[in-house]
PDB file of all heavy atoms in Angstrom:
ATOM      1  N   LEU A 146       0.832  -1.199   0.000  1.00  0.00           N
ATOM      2  CA  LEU A 146       0.000   0.000   0.000  1.00  0.00           C
ATOM      3  C   LEU A 146       0.874   1.258   0.000  1.00  0.00           C
ATOM      4  O   LEU A 146       2.091   1.182  -0.001  1.00  0.00           O
ATOM      5  CB  LEU A 146      -0.926  -0.007   1.221  1.00  0.00           C
ATOM      6  CG  LEU A 146      -1.960  -1.135   1.266  1.00  0.00           C
ATOM      7  CD1 LEU A 146      -2.733  -1.108   2.576  1.00  0.00           C
ATOM      8  CD2 LEU A 146      -2.922  -1.046   0.078  1.00  0.00           C
ATOM      9  N   GLY A 147       0.227   2.433   0.023  1.00  0.00           N
ATOM     10  CA  GLY A 147       0.942   3.707   0.110  1.00  0.00           C
ATOM     11  C   GLY A 147       1.134   4.368  -1.237  1.00  0.00           C
ATOM     12  O   GLY A 147       1.612   3.737  -2.186  1.00  0.00           O
ATOM     13  N   HIS A 148       0.711   5.654  -1.344  1.00  0.00           N
ATOM     14  CA  HIS A 148       0.894   6.369  -2.615  1.00  0.00           C
ATOM     15  C   HIS A 148       1.124   7.869  -2.418  1.00  0.00           C
ATOM     16  O   HIS A 148       1.208   8.598  -3.397  1.00  0.00           O
ATOM     17  CB  HIS A 148      -0.318   6.149  -3.535  1.00  0.00           C
ATOM     18  CG  HIS A 148      -1.620   6.528  -2.906  1.00  0.00           C
ATOM     19  ND1 HIS A 148      -2.389   5.621  -2.215  1.00  0.00           N
ATOM     20  CD2 HIS A 148      -2.255   7.712  -2.828  1.00  0.00           C
ATOM     21  CE1 HIS A 148      -3.463   6.239  -1.739  1.00  0.00           C
ATOM     22  NE2 HIS A 148      -3.407   7.513  -2.103  1.00  0.00           N
ATOM     23  N   GLU A 149       1.187   8.333  -1.170  1.00  0.00           N
ATOM     24  CA  GLU A 149       1.508   9.745  -0.917  1.00  0.00           C
ATOM     25  C   GLU A 149       2.942   9.764  -0.406  1.00  0.00           C
ATOM     26  O   GLU A 149       3.174   9.569   0.785  1.00  0.00           O
ATOM     27  CB  GLU A 149       0.577  10.329   0.155  1.00  0.00           C
ATOM     28  CG  GLU A 149      -0.902  10.224  -0.162  1.00  0.00           C
ATOM     29  CD  GLU A 149      -1.763  10.772   0.978  1.00  0.00           C
ATOM     30  OE1 GLU A 149      -1.193  11.185   2.017  1.00  0.00           O
ATOM     31  OE2 GLU A 149      -2.993  10.783   0.833  1.00  0.00           O
ATOM     32  N   ALA A 150       3.926   9.995  -1.287  1.00  0.00           N
ATOM     33  CA  ALA A 150       5.288   9.727  -0.853  1.00  0.00           C
ATOM     34  C   ALA A 150       6.340  10.611  -1.501  1.00  0.00           C
ATOM     35  O   ALA A 150       6.141  11.187  -2.572  1.00  0.00           O
ATOM     36  CB  ALA A 150       5.632   8.251  -1.122  1.00  0.00           C
ATOM     37  N   ALA A 151       7.471  10.672  -0.806  1.00  0.00           N
ATOM     38  CA  ALA A 151       8.660  11.362  -1.313  1.00  0.00           C
ATOM     39  C   ALA A 151       9.891  10.601  -0.834  1.00  0.00           C
ATOM     40  O   ALA A 151       9.846   9.891   0.178  1.00  0.00           O
ATOM     41  CB  ALA A 151       8.693  12.806  -0.812  1.00  0.00           C
ATOM     42  N   GLY A 152      10.991  10.751  -1.559  1.00  0.00           N
ATOM     43  CA  GLY A 152      12.204  10.031  -1.189  1.00  0.00           C
ATOM     44  C   GLY A 152      13.418  10.543  -1.938  1.00  0.00           C
ATOM     45  O   GLY A 152      13.423  11.662  -2.465  1.00  0.00           O
ATOM     46  N   VAL A 153      14.438   9.691  -2.004  1.00  0.00           N
ATOM     47  CA  VAL A 153      15.716  10.063  -2.618  1.00  0.00           C
ATOM     48  C   VAL A 153      16.053   9.064  -3.726  1.00  0.00           C
ATOM     49  O   VAL A 153      15.976   7.849  -3.519  1.00  0.00           O
ATOM     50  CB  VAL A 153      16.854  10.044  -1.559  1.00  0.00           C
ATOM     51  CG1 VAL A 153      18.181  10.399  -2.211  1.00  0.00           C
ATOM     52  CG2 VAL A 153      16.554  10.997  -0.424  1.00  0.00           C
ATOM     53  N   VAL A 154      16.413   9.567  -4.880  1.00  0.00           N
ATOM     54  CA  VAL A 154      16.841   8.696  -5.985  1.00  0.00           C
ATOM     55  C   VAL A 154      18.161   8.027  -5.595  1.00  0.00           C
ATOM     56  O   VAL A 154      19.108   8.700  -5.179  1.00  0.00           O
ATOM     57  CB  VAL A 154      17.020   9.507  -7.289  1.00  0.00           C
ATOM     58  CG1 VAL A 154      17.612   8.633  -8.404  1.00  0.00           C
ATOM     59  CG2 VAL A 154      15.694  10.107  -7.733  1.00  0.00           C
ATOM     60  N   THR A 155      18.206   6.696  -5.705  1.00  0.00           N
ATOM     61  CA  THR A 155      19.434   5.965  -5.357  1.00  0.00           C
ATOM     62  C   THR A 155      20.114   5.357  -6.585  1.00  0.00           C
ATOM     63  O   THR A 155      21.293   5.012  -6.538  1.00  0.00           O
ATOM     64  CB  THR A 155      19.129   4.843  -4.342  1.00  0.00           C
ATOM     65  OG1 THR A 155      18.061   4.036  -4.862  1.00  0.00           O
ATOM     66  CG2 THR A 155      18.709   5.426  -2.994  1.00  0.00           C
ATOM     67  N   ALA A 156      19.381   5.215  -7.683  1.00  0.00           N
ATOM     68  CA  ALA A 156      19.964   4.677  -8.924  1.00  0.00           C
ATOM     69  C   ALA A 156      19.037   5.033 -10.074  1.00  0.00           C
ATOM     70  O   ALA A 156      17.829   5.231  -9.865  1.00  0.00           O
ATOM     71  CB  ALA A 156      20.108   3.154  -8.826  1.00  0.00           C
ATOM     72  N   VAL A 157      19.580   5.126 -11.273  1.00  0.00           N
ATOM     73  CA  VAL A 157      18.741   5.372 -12.446  1.00  0.00           C
ATOM     74  C   VAL A 157      18.989   4.287 -13.480  1.00  0.00           C
ATOM     75  O   VAL A 157      20.103   3.782 -13.609  1.00  0.00           O
ATOM     76  CB  VAL A 157      18.979   6.776 -13.065  1.00  0.00           C
ATOM     77  CG1 VAL A 157      18.569   7.872 -12.100  1.00  0.00           C
ATOM     78  CG2 VAL A 157      20.419   6.955 -13.509  1.00  0.00           C
ATOM     79  N   GLY A 158      17.927   3.932 -14.193  1.00  0.00           N
ATOM     80  CA  GLY A 158      18.032   2.917 -15.233  1.00  0.00           C
ATOM     81  C   GLY A 158      18.480   3.532 -16.546  1.00  0.00           C
ATOM     82  O   GLY A 158      18.631   4.753 -16.665  1.00  0.00           O
ATOM     83  N   PRO A 159      18.678   2.699 -17.573  1.00  0.00           N
ATOM     84  CA  PRO A 159      19.089   3.194 -18.890  1.00  0.00           C
ATOM     85  C   PRO A 159      18.084   4.208 -19.439  1.00  0.00           C
ATOM     86  O   PRO A 159      16.878   4.066 -19.249  1.00  0.00           O
ATOM     87  CB  PRO A 159      19.105   1.921 -19.760  1.00  0.00           C
ATOM     88  CG  PRO A 159      19.162   0.778 -18.793  1.00  0.00           C
ATOM     89  CD  PRO A 159      18.501   1.238 -17.539  1.00  0.00           C
ATOM     90  N   GLY A 160      18.578   5.242 -20.084  1.00  0.00           N
ATOM     91  CA  GLY A 160      17.716   6.217 -20.745  1.00  0.00           C
ATOM     92  C   GLY A 160      17.197   7.330 -19.848  1.00  0.00           C
ATOM     93  O   GLY A 160      16.485   8.219 -20.321  1.00  0.00           O
ATOM     94  N   VAL A 161      17.530   7.299 -18.561  1.00  0.00           N
ATOM     95  CA  VAL A 161      17.039   8.348 -17.652  1.00  0.00           C
ATOM     96  C   VAL A 161      18.041   9.496 -17.625  1.00  0.00           C
ATOM     97  O   VAL A 161      19.199   9.317 -17.241  1.00  0.00           O
ATOM     98  CB  VAL A 161      16.818   7.793 -16.228  1.00  0.00           C
ATOM     99  CG1 VAL A 161      16.456   8.924 -15.263  1.00  0.00           C
ATOM    100  CG2 VAL A 161      15.721   6.732 -16.231  1.00  0.00           C
ATOM    101  N   THR A 162      17.569  10.675 -18.046  1.00  0.00           N
ATOM    102  CA  THR A 162      18.469  11.835 -18.091  1.00  0.00           C
ATOM    103  C   THR A 162      18.014  12.980 -17.191  1.00  0.00           C
ATOM    104  O   THR A 162      18.758  13.923 -16.956  1.00  0.00           O
ATOM    105  CB  THR A 162      18.562  12.379 -19.535  1.00  0.00           C
ATOM    106  OG1 THR A 162      17.225  12.657 -19.994  1.00  0.00           O
ATOM    107  CG2 THR A 162      19.210  11.362 -20.465  1.00  0.00           C
ATOM    108  N   ASN A 163      16.775  12.903 -16.675  1.00  0.00           N
ATOM    109  CA  ASN A 163      16.231  14.035 -15.906  1.00  0.00           C
ATOM    110  C   ASN A 163      16.496  13.923 -14.404  1.00  0.00           C
ATOM    111  O   ASN A 163      16.173  14.838 -13.648  1.00  0.00           O
ATOM    112  CB  ASN A 163      14.723  14.171 -16.147  1.00  0.00           C
ATOM    113  CG  ASN A 163      13.935  12.948 -15.679  1.00  0.00           C
ATOM    114  OD1 ASN A 163      14.387  11.815 -15.848  1.00  0.00           O
ATOM    115  ND2 ASN A 163      12.777  13.166 -15.100  1.00  0.00           N
ATOM    116  N   LEU A 164      17.070  12.797 -13.963  1.00  0.00           N
ATOM    117  CA  LEU A 164      17.315  12.587 -12.530  1.00  0.00           C
ATOM    118  C   LEU A 164      18.710  12.026 -12.309  1.00  0.00           C
ATOM    119  O   LEU A 164      19.254  11.342 -13.176  1.00  0.00           O
ATOM    120  CB  LEU A 164      16.281  11.601 -11.948  1.00  0.00           C
ATOM    121  CG  LEU A 164      14.803  12.009 -11.995  1.00  0.00           C
ATOM    122  CD1 LEU A 164      13.936  10.820 -11.623  1.00  0.00           C
ATOM    123  CD2 LEU A 164      14.529  13.180 -11.054  1.00  0.00           C
ATOM    124  N   VAL A 165      19.260  12.304 -11.116  1.00  0.00           N
ATOM    125  CA  VAL A 165      20.566  11.734 -10.742  1.00  0.00           C
ATOM    126  C   VAL A 165      20.465  11.181  -9.326  1.00  0.00           C
ATOM    127  O   VAL A 165      19.652  11.651  -8.522  1.00  0.00           O
ATOM    128  CB  VAL A 165      21.691  12.802 -10.795  1.00  0.00           C
ATOM    129  CG1 VAL A 165      21.958  13.231 -12.222  1.00  0.00           C
ATOM    130  CG2 VAL A 165      21.365  13.996  -9.910  1.00  0.00           C
ATOM    131  N   PRO A 166      21.266  10.169  -9.005  1.00  0.00           N
ATOM    132  CA  PRO A 166      21.270   9.644  -7.636  1.00  0.00           C
ATOM    133  C   PRO A 166      21.559  10.767  -6.627  1.00  0.00           C
ATOM    134  O   PRO A 166      22.358  11.666  -6.885  1.00  0.00           O
ATOM    135  CB  PRO A 166      22.396   8.603  -7.658  1.00  0.00           C
ATOM    136  CG  PRO A 166      22.431   8.132  -9.086  1.00  0.00           C
ATOM    137  CD  PRO A 166      22.124   9.354  -9.902  1.00  0.00           C
ATOM    138  N   GLY A 167      20.853  10.702  -5.507  1.00  0.00           N
ATOM    139  CA  GLY A 167      20.992  11.726  -4.483  1.00  0.00           C
ATOM    140  C   GLY A 167      19.928  12.808  -4.575  1.00  0.00           C
ATOM    141  O   GLY A 167      19.761  13.612  -3.648  1.00  0.00           O
ATOM    142  N   GLN A 168      19.183  12.824  -5.688  1.00  0.00           N
ATOM    143  CA  GLN A 168      18.148  13.850  -5.871  1.00  0.00           C
ATOM    144  C   GLN A 168      16.908  13.525  -5.033  1.00  0.00           C
ATOM    145  O   GLN A 168      16.469  12.381  -4.958  1.00  0.00           O
ATOM    146  CB  GLN A 168      17.774  13.904  -7.357  1.00  0.00           C
ATOM    147  CG  GLN A 168      17.141  15.204  -7.777  1.00  0.00           C
ATOM    148  CD  GLN A 168      17.197  15.387  -9.285  1.00  0.00           C
ATOM    149  OE1 GLN A 168      17.763  14.565 -10.008  1.00  0.00           O
ATOM    150  NE2 GLN A 168      16.614  16.466  -9.771  1.00  0.00           N
ATOM    151  N   ARG A 169      16.343  14.555  -4.403  1.00  0.00           N
ATOM    152  CA  ARG A 169      15.121  14.397  -3.609  1.00  0.00           C
ATOM    153  C   ARG A 169      13.914  14.567  -4.526  1.00  0.00           C
ATOM    154  O   ARG A 169      13.857  15.515  -5.305  1.00  0.00           O
ATOM    155  CB  ARG A 169      15.087  15.445  -2.489  1.00  0.00           C
ATOM    156  CG  ARG A 169      16.267  15.353  -1.539  1.00  0.00           C
ATOM    157  CD  ARG A 169      16.483  16.630  -0.739  1.00  0.00           C
ATOM    158  NE  ARG A 169      15.412  16.866   0.201  1.00  0.00           N
ATOM    159  CZ  ARG A 169      14.486  17.822   0.098  1.00  0.00           C
ATOM    160  NH1 ARG A 169      14.499  18.667  -0.920  1.00  0.00           N
ATOM    161  NH2 ARG A 169      13.556  17.966   1.014  1.00  0.00           N
ATOM    162  N   VAL A 170      12.953  13.647  -4.431  1.00  0.00           N
ATOM    163  CA  VAL A 170      11.807  13.677  -5.355  1.00  0.00           C
ATOM    164  C   VAL A 170      10.492  13.376  -4.638  1.00  0.00           C
ATOM    165  O   VAL A 170      10.462  12.674  -3.624  1.00  0.00           O
ATOM    166  CB  VAL A 170      11.975  12.644  -6.508  1.00  0.00           C
ATOM    167  CG1 VAL A 170      13.083  13.050  -7.462  1.00  0.00           C
ATOM    168  CG2 VAL A 170      12.193  11.231  -5.965  1.00  0.00           C
ATOM    169  N   ALA A 171       9.404  13.928  -5.203  1.00  0.00           N
ATOM    170  CA  ALA A 171       8.048  13.499  -4.845  1.00  0.00           C
ATOM    171  C   ALA A 171       7.642  12.442  -5.861  1.00  0.00           C
ATOM    172  O   ALA A 171       7.961  12.554  -7.053  1.00  0.00           O
ATOM    173  CB  ALA A 171       7.092  14.683  -4.885  1.00  0.00           C
ATOM    174  N   ILE A 172       6.961  11.410  -5.382  1.00  0.00           N
ATOM    175  CA  ILE A 172       6.593  10.275  -6.233  1.00  0.00           C
ATOM    176  C   ILE A 172       5.133  10.418  -6.660  1.00  0.00           C
ATOM    177  O   ILE A 172       4.231  10.387  -5.825  1.00  0.00           O
ATOM    178  CB  ILE A 172       6.783   8.943  -5.469  1.00  0.00           C
ATOM    179  CG1 ILE A 172       8.235   8.791  -5.012  1.00  0.00           C
ATOM    180  CG2 ILE A 172       6.340   7.757  -6.324  1.00  0.00           C
ATOM    181  CD1 ILE A 172       8.439   7.696  -3.962  1.00  0.00           C
ATOM    182  N   GLU A 173       4.893  10.617  -7.961  1.00  0.00           N
ATOM    183  CA  GLU A 173       3.510  10.608  -8.465  1.00  0.00           C
ATOM    184  C   GLU A 173       3.161   9.160  -8.762  1.00  0.00           C
ATOM    185  O   GLU A 173       3.789   8.513  -9.607  1.00  0.00           O
ATOM    186  CB  GLU A 173       3.392  11.481  -9.718  1.00  0.00           C
ATOM    187  CG  GLU A 173       1.971  11.552 -10.244  1.00  0.00           C
ATOM    188  CD  GLU A 173       1.773  12.549 -11.380  1.00  0.00           C
ATOM    189  OE1 GLU A 173       2.700  13.328 -11.693  1.00  0.00           O
ATOM    190  OE2 GLU A 173       0.672  12.538 -11.966  1.00  0.00           O
ATOM    191  N   ALA A 174       2.127   8.644  -8.082  1.00  0.00           N
ATOM    192  CA  ALA A 174       1.886   7.196  -8.066  1.00  0.00           C
ATOM    193  C   ALA A 174       1.267   6.648  -9.343  1.00  0.00           C
ATOM    194  O   ALA A 174       1.415   5.478  -9.661  1.00  0.00           O
ATOM    195  CB  ALA A 174       0.991   6.838  -6.869  1.00  0.00           C
ATOM    196  N   GLY A 175       0.566   7.499 -10.103  1.00  0.00           N
ATOM    197  CA  GLY A 175      -0.111   7.012 -11.299  1.00  0.00           C
ATOM    198  C   GLY A 175       0.826   6.946 -12.494  1.00  0.00           C
ATOM    199  O   GLY A 175       1.573   7.888 -12.755  1.00  0.00           O
ATOM    200  N   VAL A 176       0.773   5.828 -13.203  1.00  0.00           N
ATOM    201  CA  VAL A 176       1.601   5.662 -14.413  1.00  0.00           C
ATOM    202  C   VAL A 176       0.656   5.546 -15.606  1.00  0.00           C
ATOM    203  O   VAL A 176      -0.027   4.542 -15.780  1.00  0.00           O
ATOM    204  CB  VAL A 176       2.497   4.408 -14.312  1.00  0.00           C
ATOM    205  CG1 VAL A 176       3.398   4.304 -15.537  1.00  0.00           C
ATOM    206  CG2 VAL A 176       3.329   4.432 -13.032  1.00  0.00           C
ATOM    207  N   MET A 177       0.609   6.621 -16.403  1.00  0.00           N
ATOM    208  CA  MET A 177      -0.311   6.677 -17.538  1.00  0.00           C
ATOM    209  C   MET A 177       0.300   6.014 -18.769  1.00  0.00           C
ATOM    210  O   MET A 177       1.503   5.812 -18.829  1.00  0.00           O
ATOM    211  CB  MET A 177      -0.690   8.139 -17.821  1.00  0.00           C
ATOM    212  CG  MET A 177       0.450   9.040 -18.299  1.00  0.00           C
ATOM    213  SD  MET A 177       1.851   9.285 -17.157  1.00  0.00           S
ATOM    214  CE  MET A 177       1.105  10.312 -15.896  1.00  0.00           C
TER     215      MET A 177
END
């Protein structure tokens, strides 16, 4: 459960250019 959340990026997968490890983020739970 749980969908109101924030945390810290710890790793990024291939093709991710908008985030870096260590970045603080809010998590939008819906994936369209």
Side-chain angles (χ1 to χ4, degrees):
L146 296 175
H148 55 268
E149 303 178 358
V153 179
V154 174
T155 53
V157 295
V161 174
T162 55
N163 62 321
L164 298 169
V165 292
Q168 202 162 357
R169 301 161 68 251
V170 291
I172 301 165
E173 182 173 352
V176 183
M177 66 298 289

